[in-house]
């Protein structure tokens, strides 16, 4: 029972794209019980924040307000089956470092490139931690 529940959660939070097709009748009940972790909720916030910045850049606005709530990546609780391992910690530090650079108005690196560097870090961490949302994250790239 417990194992089934974990697998259900794993599919939803990390493989939601594929899971929708393969979902079987017997496991439906488990999905109904799914409550997103604090980190999963925060990740969706991070997605929105990043998408907002993308829209600003594309409309020629220079983002100048660092959203403090992004820092919650350091404290938000992960799903039960996941742990804050060294890999996660290393990537989250690197991610925040790059994220801060978006707001560095003195940087000589083009804004679009600093923005895309952040999206690529989202993807790098996801490649090792949670591959499901990658196709969605890729849409954040500014071409
Ligand atoms: C340090 C590693 C790391 C970084 C950086 C990272 N993620 Fe995540 N992301 C995760 C992990 C781990 C989960 C699964 C969280 C859980 O289930 O508790 C996740 C989950 C998600 C989810 C699925 C949430 C859900 O509803 O289940 C989305 C969407 C997401 N991340 C988007 C992003 C975006 C966009 C960025 C960059 C702005 C980003 N992530 C950066 C590790 C990371």
């Amino acid at each position: 029972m417990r194992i089934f529940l974990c697998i259900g959660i794993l599919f939803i939070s990390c493989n939601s794209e594929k899971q929708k097709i393969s979902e079987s009748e017997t496991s439906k009940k488990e999905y109904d019980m799914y409550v997103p972790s604090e980190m999963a909720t925060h990740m969706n916030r991070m997605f929105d924040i990043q998408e907002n910045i993308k829209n600003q850049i594309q409309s020629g606005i220079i983002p100048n307000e660092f959203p403090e709530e992004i820092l919650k990546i350091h404290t938000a609780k992960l799903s039960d089956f996941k742990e804050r391992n060294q890999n996660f910690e290393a990537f989250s530090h690197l991610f925040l470092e790059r994220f801060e650079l978006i707001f560095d108005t003195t940087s000589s690196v083009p804004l679009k490139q600093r923005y895309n560097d952040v999206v690529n870090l989202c993807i790098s961490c996801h490649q090792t931690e949670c591959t499901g949302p990658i196709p969605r994250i890729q849409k954040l790239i500014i071409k």
Side-chain angles (χ1 to χ4, degrees):
M1 177 63 181
R2 171 112 187 121
I3 289 170
F4 265 118
L5 185 60
C6 287
I7 292 171
I9 291 171
L10 183 72
F11 276 140
I12 288 201
S13 61
C14 290
N15 281 308
S16 46
E17 257 80 36
K18 279 177 231 146
Q19 165 265 328
K20 283 192 193 94
I21 308 155
S22 60
E23 188 177 290
S24 70
E25 284 304 314
T26 47
S27 52
K28 271 236 168 73
K29 243 198 211 135
E30 313 293 348
Y31 291 122
D32 289 344
M33 288 158 64
Y34 173 70
V35 178
S37 68
E38 194 187 355
M39 184 64 87
T41 307
H42 181 58
M43 283 287 162
N44 283 311
R45 252 322 272 155
M46 280 175 34
F47 186 95
D48 292 345
I49 290 171
Q50 194 68 6
E51 195 174 41
N52 247 329
I53 296 174
K54 178 182 179 180
N55 292 338
Q56 287 184 333
I57 294 175
Q58 287 182 325
S59 336
I61 299 165
I62 296 170
N64 59 3
E65 225 174 292
F66 180 84
E68 298 284 334
E69 64 174 307
I70 201 97
L71 301 173
K72 214 176 154 189
I73 193 172
H74 283 323
T75 52
K77 201 172 172 306
L78 287 148
S79 298
D80 288 346
F81 63 93
K82 288 206 163 279
E83 52 169 344
R84 247 171 215 285
N85 53 22
Q86 269 188 325
N87 189 55
F88 184 91
E89 290 296 330
F91 270 118
S92 54
H93 276 105
L94 213 59
F95 166 78
L96 285 178
E97 262 171 40
R98 297 279 169 86
F99 188 80
E100 278 171 22
L101 291 180
I102 294 182
F103 304 88
D104 179 2
T105 48
T106 62
S107 174
S108 56
V109 180
L111 179 57
K112 181 179 140 184
Q113 190 179 324
R114 281 178 277 141
Y115 167 89
N116 280 338
D117 280 351
V118 170
V119 180
N120 283 323
L121 249 148
C122 303
I123 295 168
S124 301
C125 187
H126 275 259
Q127 265 157 356
T128 62
E129 292 288 329
C130 175
T131 55
I134 290 179
R136 203 179 143 207
I137 299 174
Q138 270 164 343
K139 296 196 184 110
L140 288 172
I141 290 278
I142 300 179
K143 298 212 179 74

